[in-house]
Amino acid sequence: MTEQTVELDRRFRNAVAGLDARPKPPASRPVVPGSTMTGAMGLALFESQATSRHLDFAARRLGSARQGYYSIGSSGHEGNAVLASALRISDPALLHYRSAAFFVHRAHRVPGLDPIRDVLLGVVAAAADPISGGRHKVFGSVAANIVPQTSTIASHLPRAVGLAFAIDRAARLGLSSPWPSDAVVLCSMGDASANHSTAAGAVNAAVHTAHQGIPMPILFVCEDNGIGISVRTPPDWIERAFGHRPGLAYFGADGCNIVDTLAAADAAAVWVRERRRPAFLHLRTVRLLGHAGSDVESAYRRPADITADLQRDPLLTTARLLVESGVATPADVLDRYTDLGRHVAEVAQVVSREPKLDSAAAVAAVIPRSRPGPVRADVHRSGPLPADAKPRQGTQPVTGHPKASSPESSVPVRSRDPLAGGDPMTLAQAITVTLGDLLTRDGDVLVFGQDVGHKGGVYGVTKGLQKRFGASRVFDTLLDEQSILGTALGAALAGFVPIPEIQYLAFLHNAADQIRGEAATLSFFSNGRYQNPMVVRIAGYAYQKGFGGHFHNDNSIAALRDIPGVVLASPCRADDAAAMLRTCVSAARVDGVVSLFLEPIALYHTRDLHEPGDNGWLAHASDPEHVELGRARVYGDGTDLTLVSFANGVPLSLRVARRLARRGVGVRVLDLRWLAPLPVDDLVRHAQASGRVVIVDETRRSGGVSESVCAALVDAGFSGRSTRVTSADSFVPLGPAADTVLLDEVRIEAAVDELLA
């Protein structure tokens, strides 16, 4: 063991050996008068705490031997084992990373689980790790209802709030959910994380929701050890910040004392379960062994402070309680402690030899990928939602995906659209109709976001939906993108297919980590057992004639295109928008896919293409009904030039193509439609058909979509001529100045002329 672990182990053994034995009372008697904790409970908690301590020791030893890869320990936080006693196994838990004792104690209550082996398999990144499959060390278990988290900055809190909301909403709507209708969501964090904007926003969202009379059964737990890596937390800060907030019940306890912790945890759990309102449990803990294996506390902490923490060691406090109450003798405690240590060490040696993930394919196998056949079947389904239509949370691990079927043609099929056979419509109208169709057919669909309810959205896209389907399924949220996406993350865990709306693309960047760090990674860190099916609608791009400036005219999507497994849809006209939205919703339901649905604001209500009154940009919302992920759309069959574009660039390119045709240049326009996965096969086929390509990219030249298109052509060995024309590397200014930085038809035609020359 390291010097720190040796000293901690020595202190514990010496202190226990120096205790005086007492007469043994019945195991059913309270360990102290007035407590609900019996001697048997105390012994069980000690075993979980001691196991957690030895797991920390083993992780340090494995790391020193270069056999382990994770050393953030739980020493000093072992009091959280009590939370596993106060809550039910069926209560979902989203845990702080110092929660080994909780994990061990809850796992002990579930037949067939071996928490020692499970934790150590994660430490050594073994492929047999039952929760992440060797991808990351996390505390998670389907059987124990522990949803794995890797957050160090409380980014899992919005998801926890969303889950608490969705558990009761699912019961209200009669939707089958993995969680009991009276469940309490446990969400723990550290004192440093409690200061993060994500935590502040999540707590605010919980209180705000409960203030409106909406059930919010969540128990926030702050394990306050007084320090975040090396930055101290003022001793009274957590209580001052959370202890007197209206609408948030506050409970406090000495987290190093299991009797005190149990009393507070029991009271808090009962309060939340009965009232369905949020509560905050503040546990005062200590941090032993530093932040992680590489951390040397003596470099930034005073020896007196380190010693003071050692004197509050929760494992020693529990051992002293057991001895002084007569439940166990010092020898009993030490024998059990030693036996556990020996067993943990033996298991550590065994798991260190377990195979690791050995290929990129194995690592990425659990990143959600859509299966065209089942998705198509769900899109075309006319009946109600089958019981097995969606990926159930807590299923078997994903071991791979079937190969994609051959590309399908865009053939019109039977539609359920209530306006089928009626007049063609705009992009916005098609999305409205399609959302209504989905809400009508499938009871698992929720639509929500800022202004989507009463107002019907800033641009009227959700107008009338709340009146038709009620505020339980179409509702407004508070103005906080983290909370909007957190609601979706939690709703997905509860059995819904959420369709949240982010009002503008620029606003998404306020909460991008809820997509990257939470939605996209859950399947990865749970070996496919948990998923976040969702379709995030985002009003985006520019070309609003200078209205609103850069917050309402944002063309920055580079940060979205590189998130593994996330689908980026970008329709530009009514028929594609309707079909692609259906596809995204079915891909979410069937395969747990996370989709970002980018809707060009400037094309929402566009009717004409070439001349005023030509209605050239209208289309039927049911023709086709389905567009396969990663399939492009082509206009024309010219063999002289291919214009490759998307979103606003498509009508710009079509107008340029018509002028070129009058000059005798045969042009085809390829609408990518999907920016991730990029329709590479279609791109290459149409590029080769003409031998010349101009990429028309309304996003920025640096980090824009055109870079990936160019790379795809190079990778495919395209030998023809190509160039790209883009908007400038600039934010979009207010007013007419916007025209100076945005791509236009003049620049597109100039780029074509240069290439043809």
Side-chain angles (χ1 to χ4, degrees):
M1 290 194 289
T2 65
E3 182 179 343
Q4 286 180 301
T5 57
V6 168
E7 176 62 14
L8 185 58
D9 179 69
R10 183 191 66 79
R11 278 178 171 268
F12 175 80
R13 292 178 182 276
N14 289 346
V16 173
L19 298 174
D20 294 327
R22 305 288 178 87
K24 286 193 174 183
S28 59
R29 198 180 80 180
V31 291
V32 295
S35 173
T36 60
M37 182 178 294
T38 64
M41 290 176 60
L43 285 170
L45 286 167
F46 172 77
E47 179 161 327
S48 296
Q49 290 181 304
T51 299
S52 174
R53 180 66 56 88
H54 283 298
L55 287 170
D56 282 359
F57 292 167
R60 299 293 179 102
R61 287 194 300 268
L62 288 165
S64 297
R66 298 187 181 278
Q67 296 175 320
Y69 307 95
Y70 189 90
S71 60
I72 295 180
S74 301
S75 294
H77 285 248
E78 290 92 350
N80 58 41
V82 175
L83 300 174
S85 284
L87 293 161
R88 300 172 183 170
I89 296 172
S90 57
D91 290 329
L94 295 81
L95 301 175
H96 183 229
Y97 56 68
R98 300 194 191 277
S99 299
F102 178 101
F103 180 84
V104 170
H105 200 68
R106 178 171 279 195
H108 279 158
R109 301 172 62 191
V110 181
L113 293 188
D114 183 352
I116 294 173
R117 177 177 170 79
D118 290 354
V119 169
L120 291 173
L121 284 169
V123 169
V124 301
D129 170 16
I131 187 61
S132 78
R135 293 172 182 83
H136 201 284
K137 163 64 186 68
V138 292
F139 292 121
S141 168
V142 171
N145 292 298
I146 301 173
V147 183
Q149 309 298 316
T150 62
S151 168
T152 60
I153 54 169
S155 63
H156 61 299
L157 268 67
R159 184 206 301 274
V161 173
L163 179 55
F165 161 82
I167 285 173
D168 278 84
R169 185 55 53 96
R172 178 177 178 179
L173 294 173
L175 182 72
S176 175
S177 172
W179 319 105
S181 60
D182 66 343
V184 169
V185 177
L186 173 70
C187 180
S188 60
M189 70 192 111
D191 53 286
S193 296
N195 295 306
H196 197 274
S197 62
T198 314
V203 172
N204 180 74
V207 174
H208 182 276
T209 302
H211 181 72
Q212 300 174 77
I214 300 171
M216 180 50 60
I218 186 168
L219 176 57
F220 296 106
V221 178
C222 180
E223 299 180 32
D224 179 8
N225 60 32
I227 193 167
I229 305 183
S230 66
V231 180
R232 293 183 62 190
T233 299
D236 60 347
W237 172 245
I238 296 299
E239 184 172 1
R240 283 183 174 271
F242 298 96
H244 307 286
R245 179 161 187 170
L248 183 67
Y250 178 85
F251 300 83
D254 179 358
C256 297
N257 183 313
I258 57 174
V259 173
D260 194 35
T261 300
L262 181 62
D266 276 343
V270 169
W271 197 95
V272 175
R273 197 178 308 279
E274 292 181 350
R275 291 169 173 79
R276 317 306 287 168
R277 296 177 65 83
F280 190 96
L281 175 58
H282 178 201
L283 299 181
R284 297 179 297 278
T285 66
V286 293
R287 189 190 74 186
L288 308 178
L289 300 180
H291 173 69
S294 60
D295 183 35
V296 181
E297 282 191 303
S298 58
Y300 56 84
R301 295 191 73 192
R302 297 180 305 173
D305 293 335
I306 297 175
T307 299
D309 281 355
L310 288 168
Q311 291 172 348
R312 292 186 60 212
D313 181 353
L315 187 62
L316 178 56
T317 301
T318 300
R320 185 178 292 114
L321 172 70
L322 296 176
V323 172
E324 291 180 351
S325 63
V327 173
T329 66
D332 293 336
V333 171
L334 287 174
D335 286 347
R336 189 59 188 139
Y337 176 80
T338 300
D339 289 345
L340 285 168
R342 186 181 300 113
H343 177 60
V344 170
E346 291 170 353
V347 175
Q349 284 303 306
V350 172
V351 302
S352 68
R353 297 187 290 270
E354 286 280 343
K356 313 297 189 288
L357 294 171
D358 58 2
S359 70
V363 171
V366 295
I367 296 174
R369 292 174 175 82
S370 178
R371 297 168 296 167
V375 169
R376 187 184 310 113
D378 190 68
V379 169
H380 292 170
R381 173 174 48 82
S382 59
L385 185 67
D388 60 349
K390 69 182 63 181
R392 304 306 299 169
Q393 306 296 353
T395 55
Q396 291 298 312
V398 175
T399 56
H401 293 272
K403 292 183 179 180
S405 63
S406 58
E408 65 169 0
S409 60
S410 296
V411 179
V413 296
R414 177 182 54 81
S415 174
R416 301 174 306 278
D417 197 312
L419 297 186
D423 294 334
M425 58 188 69
T426 63
L427 173 70
Q429 290 171 330
I431 295 172
T432 306
V433 166
T434 305
L435 288 172
D437 183 37
L438 292 167
L439 285 160
T440 298
R441 188 189 70 166
D442 299 327
D444 61 348
V445 171
L446 296 178
V447 174
F448 54 89
Q450 183 194 352
D451 296 318
V452 305
H454 293 296
K455 181 178 175 63
V458 175
Y459 297 96
V461 178
T462 58
K463 187 175 182 180
L465 294 180
Q466 186 178 80
K467 184 176 181 180
R468 287 175 60 191
F469 299 101
S472 291
R473 298 189 63 203
V474 181
F475 53 90
D476 292 318
T477 65
L478 71 171
L479 200 167
D480 176 38
E481 287 73 30
Q482 290 183 144
S483 296
I484 294 171
L485 294 175
T487 300
L489 293 168
L493 283 176
F496 290 101
V497 176
I499 309 180
E501 177 186 295
I502 300 297
Q503 202 164 88
Y504 291 100
L505 176 58
F507 296 177
L508 179 70
H509 296 288
N510 296 333
D513 189 56
Q514 292 297 300
I515 299 296
R516 180 200 174 277
E518 296 295 325
T521 61
L522 184 60
S523 180
F524 188 79
F525 291 132
S526 68
N527 208 19
R529 289 179 171 87
Y530 289 104
Q531 296 179 322
N532 276 133
M534 57 196 293
V535 181
V536 185
R537 292 184 46 250
I538 308 168
Y541 300 119
Y543 294 96
Q544 295 189 77
K545 299 180 179 178
F547 166 78
H550 78 282
F551 266 113
H552 303 85
N553 289 271
D554 187 41
N555 58 4
S556 176
I557 61 174
L560 308 179
R561 290 192 301 106
D562 74 338
I563 305 175
V566 170
V567 168
L568 199 58
S570 186
C572 65
R573 52 180 285 161
D575 46 0
D576 282 344
M580 292 167 70
L581 183 55
R582 295 187 192 101
T583 299
C584 287
V585 169
S586 291
R589 176 180 296 114
V590 173
D591 292 314
V593 170
V594 176
S595 295
L596 305 182
F597 201 78
L598 286 174
E599 302 167 4
I601 298 171
L603 297 178
Y604 267 149
H605 305 299
T606 297
R607 305 178 65 86
D608 305 324
L609 176 58
H610 295 295
E611 289 92 21
D614 68 7
N615 289 333
W617 207 238
L618 301 180
H620 289 280
S622 57
D623 186 12
E625 186 173 334
H626 168 57
V627 172
E628 188 174 302
L629 289 177
R631 295 307 315 277
R633 176 174 187 159
V634 66
Y635 298 83
D637 56 2
T639 58
D640 295 325
L641 176 71
T642 299
L643 294 176
V644 177
S645 194
F646 60 95
N648 293 286
V650 175
L652 294 177
S653 297
L654 288 170
R655 288 191 283 270
V656 170
R658 189 168 80 157
R659 289 197 294 273
L660 291 171
R662 291 169 177 168
R663 293 164 46 190
V665 180
V667 181
R668 63 183 66 193
V669 175
L670 188 74
D671 178 4
L672 294 170
R673 297 195 294 197
W674 306 96
L675 305 184
L678 201 67
V680 174
D681 291 344
D682 292 338
L683 168 66
V684 173
R685 183 170 68 256
H686 289 288
Q688 291 174 338
S690 66
R692 298 182 183 88
V693 174
V694 175
I695 305 164
V696 179
D697 182 2
E698 67 176 282
T699 65
R700 301 167 190 174
R701 189 167 187 83
S702 300
V705 176
S706 58
E707 291 181 344
S708 62
V709 175
C710 288
L713 291 173
V714 170
D715 288 346
F718 175 66
S719 58
R721 299 184 62 191
S722 64
T723 189
R724 61 190 179 116
V725 56
T726 73
S727 294
D729 285 340
S730 170
F731 298 108
V732 181
L734 191 66
D739 295 335
T740 67
V741 299
L742 293 176
L743 179 65
D744 59 22
E745 294 175 34
V746 173
R747 297 174 198 179
I748 297 170
E749 196 162 357
V752 170
D753 289 340
E754 184 176 351
L755 183 71
L756 293 177

